[in-house]
Amino acid sequence: MRNFDTTGHALGTSLFIDDLPEPAGLLHAAPVCSEVAHGRLVAIETSVARAAEGVARVLVAADIPGQNQIGGIVEDEPLLAEGEVHFVGQPVAAVLATSRRAAALAASRVAVDIEPGEPVLDPREAARLGYLIAPSRTICCGDVDAVWEACAVVVEGVAETGGQEHFYLETQGAMAVPLERGRLRIFSSTQAPAAVQRAVSRVLDVPMNMVEVEVARLGGAFGGKEDQATPWAAIAALGARVTGHPVKLVLSRHDDLRMTGKRHPYSSDYRLGLAADGRILAYEVVLHQNSGAAADLSTAILERSLLHATGPYLVPNARITGHCCRTDLPPFTAFRGFGGPQAMFVIEAALDHGARVLGMDPWAVRRRNLLTDGDSLPFGMRVERCRAARCFDDAVERYGFRERREDVRRFNAGHALVKRGVSAVPICFGISFTNTQLNQAGALVHVYTDGSVSVNTGAVEMGQGVNTKLLVVVARTLGIPPDLVTIENTNTSRVANTSPTAASSGADMNGAAAKLACERIRARLLGVAARKLGAAEEELSIQDGAIVRGDAASGLDWAQVVRAAYASRVNLSAQAHFATPGIGYDKIRERGTPFSYHVWGAAISEVTLDCLRGTYTFDRVMVTHDAGRSLDELVDRGQVEGALLQGIGWLTMEEVVFGGDGRLLTDTLSTYKVPDLFSAPQVDVAFLEDADNPSAPLSSKAIGEPPFLYGIGTYLALIDAMRAYRPEREIDHIAPLTCERVLLFLHGSK
Ligand code: LUZ
Ligand code: MOS
């Protein structure tokens, strides 16, 4: 996959936080954390650590000049623990020393005295005890209670999905450098530079204009650096503030695994009513989100779950309830899909269950219930440009789903101990931050007198290719070759008040802002060219770096018109702001149009199961995906493949396990298995044709999160294979389907 950074990554010249040149006097910070999941903080004994070699200072809550508070949505998260601790790994103190090793050694000598209490780890128990992060929410449509009677079948059950470790290759980290007049420059591996700036300003009690945050790129994030990059930057900033030295804090992999939050585990109750022909008549679901010890983004994540609870299906009668359950675990956080996958897993589990009881093929039940134009989602949003059926039918035809199903049946009839499974599953994902105010972006574009162009936006490059897409948008809008354009590091002093690069919206919104800025510059340049050529502006355009009049060359090129503009004192820079139009949501009524549009797709998945060992291979996943008019097909394909594999990991081999004491047991790669090249299926991706999209730049579509949902298809293919071995046994939809769980199903006696 080629993107803006490919060459630098291959040569090793791309800089991540830990590669930045170290300024003179740099101190290294190492965190000290709670080893207890729930308790009262009695004392922090720092004298031994302070006396250790190389140690400059030990930071505790009392050193914070401003507020000891980094909660973005709910103010319930101290930077350094005070009074109580609520998870194993919660930061309690930080050691500053002249080397990383000295800091880490001294950190292990800080004695934290905690009077332990009884931790609550289970979300349902937390809900029973009333430990909720925020009031629970319910979205209703139709009248569920009135239709159960009329259903041919009603099925009920529990569906669960586990946590998931982000496993970004670059661990969390930041470096804070004191500048003149008490200003601070912070280099942070964050998706949300403005959130880091805001939190640091609050913790240090300095105005935001004293804090500059710069981001070159991240070595992966996946949502794990939307909120949870902030504490490390704030600790580094605090250290820089109290010592006057630059301070760097980069988490070791082990600390990162233990101290940071993961995807939210969900435990849900569903009830689904189907008509005899497979139509969904009613769906009721209660989602128990395990939120962890602090709100973090949990309420927003639950909101996205509620808004995706019916997936790409028309559900005329629904009652969708969600609880954010507070437990004594590291605060669970954003992770690709942001609660959408957790909720969509439940309706797929319910449909699988319902189809089985009804005796219908599950793929036929899915096809029957797909949304179409004009349908309403349970919260009243009308679906437009719906491509659910187009994607589904394209995938079924293109990849010969019916024949594959027959092949699998024949194979299974002839094999006792090896079974194959196949599934066809549609997906949809709403694009826009559900928190409407976040749907804005800014750009600042400069054209220099030699014709080269530099672009600043709020977008953060994290390997997803947003800079490549910005390059395409800018080059096409200005009508110049891409090699004249460069994308600058993201910096809060150049583009302010930016939203996190998240919600799959980075290229959409920052691209739209960059496009607006480029259009302004282009209009000014065409004005200059028109005067120079004695032509009307409307006749002129810029193509491939030349001014074109009608269809003919004008003799004037890009660099000449730029120089002429400068000579006549025309502004060669433009700032622009973009706000997504037409969206809004009323949380009281639970009605509105939270999304600008939806992304659609469908996947056919095939799996082979070894029924003696419980091991499985994902053979092939075949996707038809609605990418709009892709800005870069290689980047989009990379996102589909990566998201799919991450989705497969989530539902099969990645199992986050906490002990009864709230300690993470899967805290190394020997106990936590992420998919590797050998777990990857063959992946075919076809992008839907004639798929325009007026809501994103140059008719493109958001790509980051939606394909994560294809993992549900592979899960269902595995279920299909398991059922072929033991058809009479009912399946509980509890993910991840590790080999152990598969074996217990195949051979267990329950
Ligand atoms: N972050 C956020 C997100 O703050 N709000 C969202 O709606 C969202 N959706 C997906 C991923 N990150
Ligand atoms: Mo995200 S889950 O930070 O888009």
Side-chain angles (χ1 to χ4, degrees):
M1 167 178 151
R2 250 194 93 74
N3 80 30
F4 190 76
D5 271 341
T6 298
T7 307
H9 285 4
L11 293 174
T13 54
S14 302
L15 297 182
F16 299 88
I17 297 297
D18 217 9
D19 303 317
L20 294 170
E22 297 192 344
L26 179 71
L27 295 173
H28 298 260
V32 178
C33 67
S34 171
E35 298 294 336
V36 173
H38 179 105
R40 200 173 62 79
L41 187 54
V42 180
I44 308 172
E45 174 46 56
T46 61
S47 57
V48 178
R50 274 186 287 131
E53 194 176 324
V55 171
R57 177 100 189 206
V58 180
L59 302 171
V60 293
D63 294 310
I64 294 173
Q67 295 172 34
N68 183 15
Q69 182 53 249
I70 55 167
I73 300 176
V74 182
E75 301 193 345
D76 68 348
E77 191 175 355
L79 177 63
L80 295 171
E82 244 178 322
E84 299 173 347
V85 292
H86 283 285
F87 62 95
V88 175
Q90 181 173 353
V92 171
V95 175
L96 306 178
T98 50
S99 72
R100 180 172 303 176
R101 203 179 143 68
L105 258 178
S108 69
R109 292 183 186 152
V110 174
V112 183
D113 183 9
I114 296 169
E115 191 183 295
E118 202 45 47
V120 174
L121 309 177
D122 178 68
R124 289 177 187 260
E125 189 190 342
R128 263 194 305 278
L129 294 168
Y131 297 164
L132 298 178
I133 296 271
S136 302
R137 289 173 64 175
T138 299
I139 297 176
C140 289
C141 70
D143 185 353
V144 252
D145 297 321
V147 281
W148 299 119
E149 293 270 295
C151 297
V153 306
V154 175
V155 292
E156 288 183 5
V158 171
E160 292 186 353
T161 50
Q164 186 177 25
E165 165 58 42
H166 300 84
F167 229 91
Y168 28 68
L169 288 184
E170 181 195 26
T171 56
Q172 304 275 5
M175 180 164 75
V177 181
L179 305 176
E180 291 176 59
R181 292 181 285 112
R183 297 187 74 244
L184 273 178
R185 177 175 294 144
I186 299 169
F187 301 91
S188 168
S189 182
T190 180
Q191 293 171 245
V196 167
Q197 182 191 23
R198 208 175 295 122
V200 167
S201 136
R202 182 175 195 185
V203 165
L204 299 186
D205 192 25
V206 299
M208 284 174 76
N209 65 5
M210 301 296 274
V211 182
E212 171 187 340
V213 180
E214 163 122 345
V215 183
R217 64 177 64 71
L218 320 185
F222 310 112
K225 296 170 182 172
E226 184 175 336
D227 243 30
Q228 299 213 357
T230 299
W232 322 109
I235 291 173
L238 175 64
R241 179 73 176 194
V242 300
T243 64
H245 284 260
V247 172
K248 178 161 86 172
L249 195 171
V250 174
L251 287 187
S252 69
R253 175 64 64 187
H254 192 238
D255 278 347
D256 191 305
L257 290 169
R258 286 181 348 129
M259 300 180 78
T260 68
K262 312 178 192 313
R263 179 185 295 280
H264 291 81
Y266 274 54
S267 177
S268 307
D269 300 309
Y270 65 81
R271 190 168 189 217
L272 176 75
L274 298 175
D277 63 359
R279 262 178 315 122
I280 300 173
L281 295 181
Y283 180 55
E284 184 171 9
V285 65
V286 181
L287 307 164
H288 297 90
Q289 177 199 66
N290 190 339
S291 309
D296 186 273
L297 291 160
S298 295
T299 52
I301 289 163
L302 186 82
E303 183 167 62
R304 186 169 282 275
S305 302
L306 299 173
L307 300 175
H308 284 76
T310 53
Y313 305 112
L314 175 64
V315 180
N317 303 285
R319 187 186 295 124
I320 302 153
T321 298
H323 308 295
C324 290
C325 310
R326 185 157 48 77
T327 58
D328 296 303
L329 292 171
F332 293 99
T333 193
F335 195 144
R336 206 174 199 165
F338 206 74
Q342 288 95 320
M344 286 169 71
F345 177 86
V346 183
I347 191 155
E348 290 300 350
L351 281 175
D352 182 74
H353 189 182
R356 177 174 145 86
V357 172
L358 197 58
M360 243 177 108
D361 204 320
W363 84 273
V365 175
R366 293 192 173 93
R367 178 64 186 85
R368 165 141 304 155
N369 288 289
L370 290 179
L371 289 164
T372 56
D373 275 344
D375 285 345
S376 284
L377 293 164
F379 43 95
M381 176 175 175
R382 275 167 61 91
V383 177
E384 283 160 26
R385 292 168 185 272
C386 179
R387 296 178 182 143
R390 267 184 71 199
C391 289
F392 195 84
D393 294 344
D394 182 279
V396 164
E397 290 309 317
R398 181 188 297 268
Y399 302 115
F401 173 67
R402 291 185 188 83
E403 300 77 58
R404 285 176 191 281
R405 229 164 83 259
E406 276 319 300
D407 284 352
V408 164
R409 246 180 226 159
R410 252 193 313 276
F411 178 93
N412 287 344
H415 293 78
L417 294 176
V418 181
K419 295 293 181 188
R420 293 178 57 204
V422 60
S423 71
V425 177
I427 63 135
C428 82
F429 196 79
I431 301 302
S432 290
F433 288 91
T434 62
N435 179 358
T436 302
Q437 70 173 16
L438 293 178
N439 295 290
Q440 52 177 318
L444 174 63
V445 176
H446 301 305
V447 178
Y448 295 100
T449 48
D450 64 353
S452 65
V453 177
S454 122
V455 180
N456 298 276
T457 72
V460 169
E461 175 65 50
M462 54 192 106
Q464 87 281 42
V466 70
N467 283 351
T468 307
K469 291 190 167 183
L470 289 171
L471 202 70
V472 171
V473 169
V474 167
R476 283 205 214 152
T477 307
L478 291 176
I480 58 175
D483 58 9
L484 284 178
V485 184
T486 194
I487 312 292
E488 301 283 353
N489 289 354
T490 314
N491 186 298
T492 54
S493 299
R494 293 193 289 269
V495 179
N497 308 320
T498 57
S499 296
T501 300
S504 307
S505 69
D508 275 24
M509 294 204 306
N510 293 283
K515 183 162 170 283
L516 281 172
C518 290
E519 283 165 356
R520 278 173 206 162
I521 294 174
R522 185 182 63 193
R524 292 182 211 140
L525 289 175
L526 288 177
V528 170
R531 283 196 291 282
K532 232 180 144 55
L533 295 166
E537 259 176 64
E538 307 78 58
E539 298 177 77
L540 301 181
S541 62
I542 314 175
Q543 292 171 29
D544 290 329
I547 311 301
V548 175
R549 183 175 186 168
D551 290 328
S554 71
L556 200 58
D557 72 16
W558 167 260
Q560 288 168 323
V561 76
V562 167
R563 273 197 303 276
Y566 176 76
S568 41
R569 297 185 292 172
V570 167
N571 185 1
L572 286 171
S573 299
Q575 189 271 344
H577 176 260
F578 172 79
T580 309
I583 51 172
Y585 194 76
D586 178 345
K587 287 195 196 183
I588 310 283
R589 293 174 49 240
E590 298 287 7
R591 283 290 181 280
T593 304
F595 303 120
S596 177
Y597 62 91
H598 282 81
V599 169
W600 310 95
I604 313 291
S605 308
E606 287 187 331
V607 63
T608 302
L609 174 63
D610 176 333
C611 301
L612 271 184
R613 296 173 182 80
T615 54
Y616 42 78
T617 312
F618 295 108
D619 304 306
R620 193 161 171 194
V621 176
M622 294 151 276
V623 168
T624 297
H625 187 83
D626 168 21
R629 287 198 205 118
S630 176
L631 289 172
D632 187 311
E633 289 212 357
L634 267 183
V635 167
D636 282 350
R637 177 177 295 268
Q639 288 293 297
V640 172
E641 291 180 359
L644 164 67
L645 205 57
Q646 213 161 29
I648 289 176
W650 171 50
L651 293 176
T652 61
M653 66 194 78
E654 295 187 46
E655 187 172 30
V656 174
V657 184
F658 293 97
D661 57 358
R663 189 172 287 276
L664 179 66
L665 299 178
T666 47
D667 63 351
T668 69
L669 264 187
S670 60
T671 48
Y672 186 77
K673 295 175 76 68
V674 290
D676 62 9
L677 201 54
F678 301 100
S679 10
Q682 179 188 328
V683 184
D684 303 77
V685 182
F687 292 117
L688 198 65
E689 293 185 12
D690 298 322
D692 63 328
N693 178 30
S695 306
L698 308 179
S699 217
S700 63
K701 273 201 163 186
I703 189 79
E705 297 172 290
F708 182 86
L709 296 162
Y710 293 134
I712 298 176
T714 52
Y715 167 92
L716 289 166
L718 180 52
I719 291 284
D720 190 46
M722 289 160 65
R723 208 169 259 151
Y725 184 81
R726 230 178 144 172
E728 76 291 349
R729 185 164 187 193
E730 241 186 79
I731 291 188
D732 296 325
H733 286 289
I734 311 282
L737 267 181
T738 56
C739 297
E740 291 90 328
R741 275 218 184 92
V742 172
L743 260 187
L744 281 172
F745 171 83
L746 297 175
H747 305 292
S749 56
K750 180 191 124 196

